[in-house]
């Protein structure tokens, strides 16, 4: 926001500074929200990866032997 130069110069400068301060505060609030969302997403991805690594793989349920493929107990 650019202040217009007039006979109320001091007043318009004060309004301009207030708007700049409000914009800065709003931008910082938005950035904080983005950072919080990114951290939550990263946390969720970490939990998903941990669950993926906990899977049990290669445990045989049924075992067959020989040419006849007879099941062994």
């Amino acid at each position: 926001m650019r202040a217009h130069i007039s006979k109320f110069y001091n007043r318009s400068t004060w309004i301009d500074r207030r708007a700049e301060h409000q914009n800065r505060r709003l931008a910082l609030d938005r950035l904080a929200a983005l950072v919080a969302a990114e951290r939550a997403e990263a946390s969720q991805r970490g939990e998903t990866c941990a669950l993926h690594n906990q899977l049990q793989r290669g445990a045989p349920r049924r075992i067959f032997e020989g040419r006849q493929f007879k099941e062994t107990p």
Side-chain angles (χ1 to χ4, degrees):
M1 178 176 168
R2 177 168 269 168
H4 296 289
I5 298 175
S6 67
K7 57 184 170 182
F8 301 111
Y9 178 73
N10 291 335
R11 181 175 177 263
S12 63
T13 303
W14 176 77
I15 292 171
D16 189 25
R17 287 185 183 159
R18 183 182 68 187
E20 181 180 351
H21 177 70
Q22 289 172 342
N23 288 340
R24 183 180 297 134
R25 184 175 50 199
L26 181 61
L28 289 174
D29 290 343
R30 288 179 179 171
L31 284 173
L34 285 173
V35 168
E38 181 66 28
R39 285 183 180 166
E41 184 179 329
S43 174
Q44 185 178 5
R45 273 185 273 148
E47 291 172 4
T48 303
C49 288
L51 290 174
H52 179 74
N53 292 333
Q54 291 176 358
L55 289 174
Q56 184 178 3
R57 300 176 188 269
R61 297 194 179 236
R62 301 171 84 184
I63 301 172
F64 298 92
E65 289 183 348
R67 298 182 92 193
Q68 301 293 324
F69 289 104
K70 292 188 179 183
E71 190 173 356
T72 58

